Amino acid sequence: MSTASDLPHPARPTSRPRVVVIGAGIVGCALADELTARGWTDVTVLDQGPLFATGGSSSHAPGLVFQTNASKTMTAFAAYTVRKYSGLSLDGRWCFRAVGGLEVATTPERLADLKRKYGWARAWGVRAALLDPAECARLWPGLAPGAVLGGLHTPDDGLAKAVRAGEAQARAAMARGARFLGHHTVVGFERSGGRVSAVVTDRGTFPADIAVSAAGFWGPAIGRMAGVTVPLLPLAHQYAYTAPLPGTANPPDLEAALPLLRHQDRDLYFREHGDRIGIGSYAHRPLPVDLAAVAAPGQAAEMPSMLPFTAEDFEPSWRDACALLPALADSKVDEGFNGVFSFTPDGMPLLGEARELPGFWLAEAVWVTHSAGAARAVAEWMVEGRPRVDVHECDVHRFEEAQLSPAYIADRGEQSFVEVYDVVHPLQPIERPRPLRTSPFYLRHRELGAVFGEAGGWERPLWFTANAGLADPDTPERDPWSARHWSPVVDAEARATRERVALYDMTPLTRLEVSGPGALAFLQRMCTNQLDRAPGTVTYTLLLDHAGGVRSDITVTRLAEDAFQVGVSGRLDTDWLTRHLPADGSVVLRDITGGTACVGVWGPLARDLVQPLTDDDFSHAGFGYFKARRAHIGHVPVLALRVSYVGELGWEVYTGADTALLLWDTLWAAGRPLGAVAAGRGAFTSLRLEKGYRLAGTDMTTEHDPYEAGLGFAVRLGKGDFVGRDAAAAAAERPPRRRLACLTLDDPHRVVMGREPVLVGGAPAGYVTSAARSTTLGRTIAYAWLPAEAAEPGTGVHVEYFGEALAATVAAEPLVDPDMARIRR
């Protein structure tokens, strides 16, 4: 393997843009390959270490590639990594071997979780099979008899040789014109016109139109040089090698014959290394790494990413390893190290261009498993303007400002490490740091016994124990999994909303103020619906990307000729709009969320509650649906929007944070004689699904067009140009090959949670996006992506839930109040 600082390469072309990639680990090498394959051949890859065992995480990574993941995006990344690396070789040596993967369960809880993972595999197109204990023992003969209850086998998973695969991709990139330079330490960036213009190293300056940080756990240091926060925590992870084991003699060039083995009940994984076993452990305490204490390449005892082994941390893991594989008891830990890896607050990668410094991109917190897939997505993003796989879960701008403090990044990074192999429920809130962000109603919610979830740092009531007396004692019991983070009170709150009136805290909904002489033209350009309407009008509309994919759905309220309030889905929408602001200063965009608060007042008695509190006319004739006005409720100045995400009469009522508590108390006092309740997100989700209201990022993403998603009504092709219009127009002309369909489970007592495979004719054909039990209908509603021919109402399908096929039927939507009589009364 070459360690030269500058490998031979063809003459560099003069084509632009000039791309400088920082980091020649597997991600940087993969990115150079993907970029040059797309014609961007002016690519320079720099690394502070030698090529290609640079001293970063790729250099010591054990190379396990398991494709199955709760995230469809991460599964797609891993699947592409398998396909690409399977076709690579370096000087006749393999870069990937599909030895398969075996996850074993030693507890009933883990066995159930393997059934859930089997569902993910089926939903995302990964070959998998559930095995009984005897089948597990045939795949791994050394398993302790009686210890294993079952397993999940994924035959296409396997071992990646990270350094080898990196160099193979680098050679392909160099053949197209890229160059790789080792022993170049980045020390800063030059800027011109507000953009990156060069990467400065200790051995010279490299002009750059685009700079990409693929520096792995050194990413935060590179980010600081660029003035960009990289929310990543370097942590050490233990890996040990046994002494040679009798009877284990894999040829050195193959390394392994047995499948990769994961014992997640004890946070362990195993792979063969010839006649030895390698053991990785996440069972130890989090070991955060101070970058300032990491040795530079050439100064470390072995390499910078390999820290001294702390044997005392590994002792419990060794005992657990011997319990699963008894033959290890006659061996010992021959050597080990604490390897440094990257962990983010939510365990997902950091991809995309930093808005703080245009031209500075991130391809960080990407492990070997997802390296080729993530690199392809970033290359597509740069060259084509968008990745073909939805990457909103990985977008670097997904975090709120309150989630970017060093303390938060450290706390959540450590928790991400702890949870690597945990069974994490989809509704399970983070444990710390909490509370981080609270609405002005938080104390009132606590007085009402709110059970809080968390999203975007916000405390969000899921339900209120004060409503426990309203729960129906005949509410069907749930299975243990779906009963977590749920209560029969959820049904009671949904029922109270349909029958009387409820107050919902909508404060966490991100609110933007868009103003200025160019505000209307700007929003018309960004949105699909017609916004040139009279002040006092609310419009539901979409944000599309340039290829017509659905980025988000939003509401735009015209307050004045040149002033709008825009309700968006979060930071990614804010980032998207900010990036497209006109350069002439004619539009000002301001996030007003933290200075305001919102109460949703919804239910058939909403007008009975609100009208006596105001001199303004809140009648249907005087205050129509999708209208807005400034008013006073009691002593409180408010902005009221006649909109409802639960499908009932009512308003979103906004006020300043300073008057918010008085608003809540005023509404609460007036609502008590009407039987008003405070209601949480559990009821909200159930009610929105009854009305067929979509959730951006969950029910539809950039992989879907508006017509497939059932949102064509929000697209006005005749209003003039807007982002994604041409692609949307083309989509409108062709029959959709898939649709977002509404399903109801045939058995009224069964519940599903989301991300389950949907079977058509017994074969996986789609997957569930959102699901909840409907109190109104007395059965579960699930929205799912299906082939268009299977999405017709009346079609029978099955939803696979923990390995069990539950009968369901495609239904016409919306299921409740299809004529909109309740919401428009």
Side-chain angles (χ1 to χ4, degrees):
M1 185 175 301
S2 175
T3 57
S5 63
D6 190 356
L7 294 181
H9 59 85
R12 297 182 66 212
T14 59
S15 61
R16 296 171 74 92
R18 298 164 299 181
V19 181
V20 176
V21 179
I22 302 163
I26 196 166
V27 177
C29 292
L31 180 57
D33 183 32
E34 296 289 337
L35 285 172
T36 55
R38 288 166 174 78
W40 281 24
T41 55
D42 194 347
V43 175
T44 301
V45 182
L46 306 173
D47 202 285
Q48 62 180 342
L51 301 176
F52 283 92
T54 62
S57 300
S58 299
S59 304
H60 72 252
L64 282 72
V65 178
F66 280 86
Q67 298 172 84
T68 307
N69 194 289
S71 164
K72 180 175 179 288
T73 297
M74 296 298 276
T75 301
F77 285 174
Y80 180 70
T81 298
V82 167
R83 292 196 303 273
K84 183 177 185 181
Y85 293 174
S86 294
L88 294 180
S89 63
L90 186 74
D91 299 331
R93 295 171 294 170
W94 59 272
C95 293
F96 180 86
R97 289 192 62 231
V99 296
L102 176 63
E103 301 179 50
V104 295
T106 59
T107 64
E109 294 78 14
R110 183 66 62 177
L111 185 62
D113 190 56
L114 293 186
K115 294 178 181 178
R116 183 172 66 126
K117 286 188 174 182
Y118 176 66
W120 295 343
R122 302 252 283 171
W124 313 144
V126 176
R127 286 205 305 154
L130 290 168
L131 306 183
D132 62 28
E135 292 170 318
C136 293
R138 282 195 290 272
L139 279 178
W140 251 87
L143 292 172
V148 172
L149 304 180
L152 176 67
H153 181 223
T154 44
D156 300 323
D157 292 344
L159 283 173
K161 295 294 289 184
V163 174
R164 198 180 292 171
E167 185 171 352
Q169 292 173 99
R171 289 188 185 181
M174 286 187 288
R176 303 185 193 105
R179 63 173 174 170
F180 282 72
L181 303 173
H183 304 295
H184 280 65
T185 300
V186 174
V187 297
F189 297 90
E190 292 182 358
R191 298 162 175 80
S192 177
R195 292 185 55 87
V196 162
S197 60
V199 178
V200 183
T201 76
D202 60 348
R203 298 179 64 178
T205 297
F206 295 83
D209 302 297
I210 293 174
V212 187
S213 179
F217 64 80
W218 282 289
I222 300 298
R224 281 192 292 273
M225 297 178 200
V228 173
T229 299
V230 178
L232 178 162
L233 180 70
L235 282 158
H237 158 58
Q238 291 200 297
Y239 195 78
Y241 299 87
T242 68
L245 296 171
T248 303
N250 292 304
D253 60 323
L254 295 182
E255 294 191 20
L258 296 178
L260 314 176
L261 178 64
R262 289 207 283 195
H263 180 25
Q264 292 171 300
D265 283 320
R266 290 295 182 266
D267 295 307
L268 294 172
Y269 62 84
F270 305 83
R271 58 152 293 189
E272 294 178 294
H273 291 273
D275 60 353
R276 302 195 295 171
I277 300 291
I279 307 170
S281 172
Y282 293 103
H284 55 83
R285 61 192 169 93
L287 299 168
V289 175
D290 181 1
L291 284 180
V294 176
Q299 298 177 1
E302 189 162 354
M303 64 175 66
S305 64
M306 296 176 67
L307 305 181
F309 188 62
T310 51
E312 64 279 8
D313 288 313
F314 195 75
E315 287 177 3
S317 292
W318 177 249
R319 291 194 294 270
D320 290 334
C322 292
L324 182 71
L325 301 173
L328 297 183
D330 296 327
S331 185
K332 64 177 182 177
V333 174
D334 199 35
E335 58 179 306
F337 63 94
N338 291 1
V340 186
F341 283 86
S342 301
F343 289 82
T344 60
D346 58 3
M348 298 293 281
L350 304 171
L351 308 179
E353 183 181 20
R355 193 175 64 253
E356 303 92 322
L357 181 60
F360 181 79
W361 287 69
L362 295 178
E364 294 289 7
V366 180
W367 293 6
V368 172
T369 301
H370 308 105
S371 54
R376 179 178 67 167
V378 173
E380 290 170 345
W381 207 341
M382 291 179 178
V383 177
E384 303 172 19
R386 73 189 288 262
R388 299 185 186 185
V389 173
D390 171 63
V391 294
H392 80 274
E393 297 170 303
C394 309
D395 193 309
V396 67
H397 295 287
R398 65 189 180 270
F399 297 108
E400 298 287 336
E401 192 64 35
Q403 297 173 303
L404 293 176
S405 69
Y408 185 92
I409 294 167
D411 283 350
R412 294 302 309 149
E414 290 187 10
Q415 191 61 28
S416 292
F417 175 88
V418 170
E419 292 177 352
V420 165
Y421 280 173
D422 283 3
V423 178
V424 179
H425 193 276
L427 298 180
Q428 182 175 319
I430 67 170
E431 296 180 1
R432 62 187 179 97
R434 291 180 65 189
L436 181 64
R437 307 173 79 188
T438 59
S439 84
F441 315 131
Y442 178 68
L443 293 179
R444 294 293 184 265
H445 293 162
R446 290 187 61 182
E447 291 167 1
L448 292 169
V451 175
F452 290 99
E454 183 273 349
W458 286 100
E459 295 295 313
R460 294 186 172 192
L462 300 176
W463 68 85
F464 293 85
T465 58
N467 298 324
L470 302 176
D472 184 349
D474 295 325
T475 299
E477 278 194 30
R478 293 193 174 204
D479 65 273
W481 182 252
S482 67
R484 293 188 193 180
H485 309 289
W486 177 85
S487 165
V489 176
V490 169
D491 286 3
E493 292 173 1
R495 189 165 50 249
T497 307
R498 287 275 183 253
E499 297 174 355
R500 300 186 302 279
V501 62
L503 305 183
Y504 288 81
D505 182 4
M506 302 302 292
T507 300
L509 174 70
T510 302
R511 293 172 290 286
L512 307 177
E513 178 186 87
V514 179
S515 61
L520 175 60
F522 167 67
L523 290 171
Q524 285 279 70
R525 169 70 178 157
M526 298 306 299
C527 299
T528 61
N529 213 334
Q530 176 59 262
L531 304 180
D532 191 4
R533 299 176 177 176
T537 302
V538 183
T539 304
Y540 174 84
T541 186
L542 307 178
L543 298 177
L544 304 183
D545 66 15
H546 293 84
V550 180
R551 286 188 60 92
S552 189
D553 61 339
I554 67 176
T555 56
V556 178
T557 303
R558 193 169 192 180
L559 303 176
E561 291 297 321
D562 60 356
F564 298 80
Q565 179 170 301
V566 182
V568 300
S569 298
R571 288 275 287 186
L572 293 182
D573 290 354
T574 305
D575 175 64
W576 178 253
L577 292 171
T578 301
R579 288 177 185 275
H580 287 84
L581 286 171
D584 61 8
S586 62
V587 181
V588 175
L589 185 151
R590 192 166 65 94
D591 188 332
I592 61 172
T593 309
T596 55
C598 178
V599 183
V601 185
W602 292 315
L605 301 183
R607 186 173 289 116
D608 299 73
L609 193 162
V610 174
Q611 186 62 80
L613 300 174
T614 180
D615 293 333
D616 290 271
D617 184 1
F618 273 59
S619 69
H620 182 61
F623 196 156
Y625 187 55
F626 266 81
K627 300 297 181 183
R629 69 167 48 159
R630 296 195 184 278
H632 284 83
I633 292 180
H635 297 284
V636 181
V638 301
L639 172 65
L641 275 56
R642 178 86 186 274
V643 295
S644 170
Y645 286 101
V646 299
E648 290 292 336
L649 168 68
W651 293 265
E652 288 181 357
V653 184
Y654 296 88
T655 192
D658 55 342
T659 52
L661 194 58
L662 179 57
L663 172 65
W664 178 275
D665 289 344
T666 301
L667 293 169
W668 184 254
R672 295 308 290 155
L674 301 173
V677 302
R681 299 297 294 186
F684 180 90
T685 298
S686 173
L687 296 171
R688 81 162 177 89
L689 289 176
E690 291 180 355
K691 287 296 294 180
Y693 295 148
R694 277 69 164 142
L695 180 62
T698 299
D699 295 316
M700 68 278 186
T701 70
T702 54
E703 296 180 15
H704 311 110
D705 70 51
Y707 305 97
E708 295 173 325
L711 298 174
F713 67 87
V715 180
R716 295 291 184 268
L717 295 172
K719 73 161 189 166
D721 195 22
F722 56 84
V723 173
R725 184 199 174 282
D726 290 347
E733 293 297 321
R734 62 177 180 260
R737 59 182 179 86
R738 58 188 175 180
R739 290 187 184 276
L740 184 62
C742 177
L743 315 178
T744 57
L745 295 193
D746 294 357
D747 185 340
H749 300 297
R750 301 306 300 267
V751 176
V752 298
M753 302 290 295
R755 301 186 180 183
E756 296 89 359
V758 180
L759 313 180
V760 177
Y767 58 92
V768 173
T769 58
S770 296
R773 186 177 186 277
S774 163
T775 304
T776 306
L777 302 177
R779 65 183 62 244
T780 291
I781 302 168
Y783 272 78
W785 282 100
L786 290 175
E789 61 274 13
E792 293 298 321
T795 303
V797 299
H798 287 83
V799 179
E800 191 171 272
Y801 183 68
F802 287 89
E804 182 182 0
L806 306 181
T809 304
V810 178
E813 58 171 339
L815 295 167
V816 172
D817 192 27
D819 298 327
M820 301 289 283
R822 299 174 69 91
I823 206 168
R824 296 180 184 273
R825 62 180 129 195

